[in-house]
Amino acid sequence: MPETATLKMVPAIEPRPEIYREDSPADTITVVEKPLSTWELLYNWGFFRKLIILAALALAWEIYGRILNNDLLFPTFSATVSAFFANVMNGVLPERAWGSLRVLLMGYAIGITLAAVLTALAIASRIGTDFLETMTSMFNPLPAIALLPLALIWFGLGTGSLVFVLVHSVTWAIALNTHSGFLSVSRTLKMVGRNYGLKGPRFIATILIPAAFPSILTGLKIGWAFAWRTLIAAELVFGVSSGSGGLGWFIFENKNMLDIANVFAGLLTVIIIGLVVENLIFQTIERRTIQRWGMQA
């Protein structure tokens, strides 16, 4: 006889009123929309938060300068701002700033063009990839300012030497980030482009560049920062050599005259230009491309 399973009666679980009760209409969760206060609206604005940070730094600068009480070592923020506006009104700082930016834009444009050519060769062939990787490994760690003595011998005391070191500082950072961005594009996206019959420049412009644009934009930012720092340092050397230059020469000249407030005014100009380029130009490009395409939160 097969064994029969014995069924055990499980007693019904009685409801426990102390832990269970039916939801009433008053217990339903509702979303309450509350208008934001003026402070909350301003705080949600990124530009306002950055202004708070800059104001805090300026206040700390002013306090430290007043405590130190030595204008030859560290002028106050108010003295620096006064010197800055004085040199803006007499036209010295705008002239020197434009002189620096003109040379920087020349070197930056040539560096971007050279980086684009090297990256295109790297994408087109294996030997191009090996060439770019070898050149990047060799020259990217080499400080651009270290090539300035050679540039002075090759191009003399003039704009050519500055442009040469700027091209060196820009090219490798942009080429490295662009090539890395191209390599990170998914195979699926590349196959979609091939299925649509895209080849050569159309494939690069339509598929690779939009997909790799976050890396490309990062390379452009890094290249700009490298070029800006290299230019100011090179102009300091040119100030010693030829007595001419842009913001770097302005800083060097006022250092020799022990006018430290003007030195800080020159440094403040360098900082302001950097902030404008980063927060106005690059963020506008990022907002209209990467964020609009949904590639960044």
Side-chain angles (χ1 to χ4, degrees):
M1 295 290 293
E3 295 182 0
T4 58
T6 59
L7 299 177
K8 295 183 179 179
M9 299 299 294
V10 179
I13 300 176
E14 297 181 358
R16 299 178 60 185
E18 67 274 13
I19 63 173
Y20 174 79
R21 62 186 177 87
E22 294 183 356
D23 292 334
S24 61
D27 297 325
T28 57
I29 299 176
T30 58
V31 178
V32 179
E33 294 184 359
K34 183 182 69 173
L36 297 177
S37 63
T38 304
W39 168 254
E40 290 173 332
L41 290 173
L42 291 175
Y43 189 78
N44 289 334
W45 190 24
F47 183 74
F48 179 73
R49 296 195 301 270
K50 292 179 181 180
L51 283 180
I52 294 177
I53 295 173
L54 292 176
L57 292 175
L59 180 61
W61 180 350
E62 181 72 20
I63 292 174
Y64 180 74
R66 290 183 180 276
I67 292 175
L68 190 61
N69 195 23
N70 190 338
D71 290 339
L72 286 177
L73 292 180
F74 199 89
T76 61
F77 179 74
S78 57
T80 301
V81 171
S82 176
F84 171 80
F85 280 108
N87 284 281
V88 168
M89 296 304 295
N90 61 26
V92 174
L93 272 179
E95 180 183 356
R96 298 298 176 86
W98 170 241
S100 295
L101 287 174
R102 180 176 54 84
V103 176
L104 186 142
L105 290 175
M106 292 171 56
Y108 194 65
I110 297 173
I112 292 175
T113 304
L114 184 58
V117 172
L118 292 174
T119 308
L121 292 175
I123 294 299
S125 63
R126 292 183 178 180
I127 189 66
T129 300
D130 295 336
F131 177 77
L132 178 59
E133 291 178 352
T134 303
M135 297 295 288
T136 302
S137 301
M138 290 171 55
F139 292 111
N140 193 39
L142 182 65
I145 199 67
L147 297 176
L148 189 56
L150 291 177
L152 292 173
I153 296 173
W154 294 341
F155 303 101
L157 299 175
T159 305
S161 298
L162 288 174
V163 172
F164 176 79
V165 295
L166 289 176
V167 170
H168 171 78
S169 64
V170 169
T171 300
W172 310 114
I174 296 178
L176 182 62
N177 280 272
T178 303
H179 186 244
S180 300
F182 285 167
L183 293 179
S184 65
V185 178
S186 66
R187 288 179 175 270
T188 303
L189 195 57
K190 293 179 181 179
M191 291 174 62
V192 170
R194 298 298 185 190
N195 290 335
Y196 275 96
L198 299 177
K199 296 179 181 179
R202 288 190 61 199
F203 179 77
I204 294 175
T206 308
I207 300 297
L208 293 184
I209 291 180
F213 198 73
S215 297
I216 296 174
L217 187 59
T218 300
L220 292 174
K221 290 180 180 180
I222 296 174
W224 166 265
F226 284 177
W228 194 221
R229 291 184 299 180
T230 300
L231 176 63
I232 299 303
E235 283 182 342
L236 288 171
V237 177
F238 273 97
V240 178
S241 302
S242 61
S244 62
L247 285 174
W249 166 240
F250 176 83
I251 295 170
F252 181 84
E253 184 182 35
N254 284 280
K255 187 268 296 182
N256 286 340
M257 294 188 298
L258 295 180
D259 194 344
I260 308 302
N262 279 345
V263 172
F264 274 71
L267 296 174
L268 183 62
T269 306
V270 174
I271 294 172
I272 291 174
I273 293 175
L275 289 174
V276 169
V277 172
E278 175 67 27
N279 293 280
L280 185 62
I281 298 178
F282 283 123
Q283 281 200 1
T284 301
I285 296 174
E286 183 177 340
R287 185 170 57 253
R288 294 187 177 182
T289 55
I290 298 174
Q291 294 181 2
R292 178 178 294 181
W293 298 339
M295 304 174 72
Q296 186 182 67

